Amino acid sequence: MAQLSVECLMSQANRIIQVAVPRPLHAVYDYSVPEDMPIPNVGARLSVPFGRTQTIGVCVNVDVTSPHKSPKPINEIIDDDAAITGELLDLAHWMSAYYHHPLGEVLATILPNAARKGLPFVLEEEDFWHLANAQYTNARAPKQTALVEYMSQHLAEYPVIAGKALVEAGFSRAMINKLAELEVITRVSAAPRRALAAKAPALDASAEQHAAIDAIEAAAGRFEVLLLEGVTGSGKTEVYLQSMAPVLARGGQVMVLVPEIALTPQTLARFEKRFGQVGMLHSALTDKQRLQTWLRCRDGELNILIGTRSAVFTPFKQLDLIIVDEEHDSSYKQQEGLRYSARDLTAKRAHSLGIPLVLGSATPSLESLYNVSRKRYTLLKLPHRAGGASMPSYHLIDLRGQTLQDGFSRTLIDVIRHHLTAKGQVLIYLNRRGFAPTLLCQSCGWQCHCSDCDAKLTLHRSPAQMICHHCMLKFQIPELCEHCGQPNLLPVGLGTQRAEDAVEALFPEVPIYRVDRDTTRTNRQLGEQLDKINEGSSCIMVGTQMLAKGHHFPSVTLVVVLNADSGFLSPDFRAPERTAQLVVQVAGRAGRAERPGEVWIQSYQPDNPMLTRLIEDGYDGFAQEELKTREEAGLPPILPMAMLRAESEDGRLALDFLQTCKNTLTSMGRNQVEVMGPIPAPMARIANRFRYQLMLIAPSRSQLHQLLHGLGRPKVPAQLRWSIDVDPYDAL
Ligand code: ADP
Ligand code: ZN
Ligand code: ZN
């Protein structure tokens, strides 16, 4: 009898598992597995009861001895094998520890949305078609003839074509089936990967490109981070492509990350032309599409994946190379929820897998440059532009004492006219969308503010309204000053709409394209605008950083930075780095083809040493100086930083919460971590919530982590939102 009950207990213990659920509380919960179900695999998704509802969790541990008497039984096992395994599961555990974030939420971030909702993992079979009868015509069904013609045209590029591609080209499924029935086209069942290999040959690599490609190939099969620092237009993409080729030839897979803004049809086309079928992951896809691509990478059906930030969580069968383009770009940092850096995670993954990682940029982050100086990363340089194009020349315009025409100086207007006369394209960059960033009362100095934020409202045209760029609330344009009642309201400052109006008035004969978030909401829209611009006739582009990044404009001969000052004046310690990167990136759009380019920068502080150093010594010289400044100030990347943020409608609550956190942190003693704050965030109120922050700088990573770990999960009032941001990007 006694023996039986021991066995009973043991078998019960063996049926207890740990499940991570997507809740911000504790990491994992114990559950029991009913007798009629198998023990799930670690990494399998489960449906479990949670509170009064059900949720989808991931089994993270089996055969657990639970301190609880009788854990609740699970409802259902979703995956017979597992949704998340091996290296990715390890990554999840690592992220949970590094970012001090609950494991269940980390897993929910890693899994594609469709998986999070519990959808089964079924790979839909893709259909591919071969043209069997190129002579077929049908006078009564011209669309059928058109399809045959379409396929003949593409025959040179692709021996087979995906049904999906035909549908995208405007042919219906019904017609595809009809032609299949007539045996005009036949379905290809073989794995299409090789068949789809496209024809575009590799370019003749320059000696510098060769050296970089060789170094990347020499790192095959082991962990090494290679920082490819190549000036804008130096042919970094060609280096990526030629480094990928041998990896793919050996049957390996490659993951390429690009910034959100850069994933245009043009970018994709460059990879497709060289290698054929390329998988793509970005935020505009449906959940179902994302899951399909995710599964294809996992099962080894796709050998190239290009994606934005969250693509870093894709599982692969045989990942052998990771490339991160524009590695300095801020879009790799998730700014809410689980605040991870996709770039940093690629290094973690490359390390676990023992494979090379290539980080490419014309303006590398100080983090990566610091790692080069510490000999952790290998530096590969492309100091010259590819194909004989020369670097643009820089010119500064001193704005002091000048009368401006809507932000344009006389000199600048002449320079623009000169380039237009020579049939060049002109790119005008400024970092504000809208018409004017301020509406000011000329009688009393009142400025139009958002009701819910500590922020000025931006005046917009078409539609005419005041918009808060922080909470997105829209207001009517006031006719009278709210303070003194006078009607003397003046739009002050310059946004892209106003700059557009200004150049329209100055150069009425030239087409003008404005590119910012108001005109360009999707990658498709951006792609269409770029296509028109790249037809090459003389035009003016006015835009925000959307224009500054990554794009190739062969006909641009003049780049204008309307005002370089605001970025260098911001109190955020990363602002100079960010501003320098933007200026160099936007300047890099000039003169990328045969015609040399010029960059003209307007400034009220033309002798600001940061600006002059950038112009005289280039980004490298600037970055080395900036690293020294960070070293002296004890800031990242030399010392690690974390930020605790709290916000609530009652400001007191947020402030008290952070003060309690600080007390806990400082009571741990013996630690040399600096705890600064709590102080109001630079934007102290957004959408009626008061925001505070507490900054931590530690002498070492381990001390920082110890301290954050010691914080545990503090008691949080219901009306308060808070977060830990390890390696914050916005530090102020
Ligand atoms: P980056 O990514 O460094 O800004 P790109 O890869 O866009 O530069 O290359 C800039 C231009 O130079 C592209 O038009 C590309 O086709 C061309 N290019 C790159 N490598 C070579 C080469 N070895 N020979 C000739 N042209 C090249
Ligand atoms: Zn007034
Ligand atoms: Zn607002």
Side-chain angles (χ1 to χ4, degrees), residues 449-457 467-473 475 685-688:
H449 272 80
C450 177
S451 60
D452 289 7
C453 307
D454 282 345
K456 285 183 277 184
L457 293 174
I467 302 181
C468 174
H469 285 188
H470 299 276
C471 71
M472 305 309 147
L473 276 185
F475 301 83
R685 185 178 58 120
I686 293 183
N688 251 335

Side-chain angles (χ1 to χ4, degrees), residues 348-486:
K348 174 68 192 151
R349 288 194 76 179
H351 182 259
S352 311
L353 293 166
I355 59 170
L357 163 66
V358 178
L359 301 177
S361 177
T363 53
S365 62
L366 293 190
E367 275 71 17
S368 295
L369 289 172
Y370 183 64
N371 279 322
V372 167
S373 77
R374 299 293 302 268
K375 310 247 183 303
R376 293 195 198 113
Y377 292 3
T378 310
L379 182 64
L380 307 172
K381 277 201 152 197
L382 303 177
H384 302 105
R385 283 192 156 175
S390 55
M391 289 304 284
S393 58
Y394 280 86
H395 309 263
L396 260 175
I397 298 175
D398 185 350
L399 288 181
R400 288 172 297 187
Q402 294 218 34
T403 336
L404 303 184
Q405 193 167 341
D406 281 323
F408 290 76
S409 63
R410 216 38 277 155
T411 320
L412 185 58
I413 294 168
D414 289 343
V415 172
I416 295 175
R417 177 162 296 120
H418 177 78
H419 278 262
L420 292 174
T421 313
K423 300 270 175 278
Q425 291 183 342
V426 175
L427 188 160
I428 298 172
Y429 165 78
L430 79 167
N431 63 353
R432 275 188 191 275
R433 62 196 175 87
F435 184 80
T438 312
L439 192 61
L440 175 86
C441 172
Q442 288 177 287
S443 304
C444 75
W446 171 85
Q447 298 181 359
C448 188
H449 272 80
C450 177
S451 60
D452 289 7
C453 307
D454 282 345
K456 285 183 277 184
L457 293 174
T458 301
L459 177 65
H460 279 247
R461 281 268 188 87
S462 57
Q465 56 195 348
M466 306 297 298
I467 302 181
C468 174
H469 285 188
H470 299 276
C471 71
M472 305 309 147
L473 276 185
K474 299 184 169 108
F475 301 83
Q476 271 193 339
I477 299 175
E479 281 168 17
L480 304 174
C481 169
E482 281 173 24
H483 182 68
C484 72
Q486 295 296 311

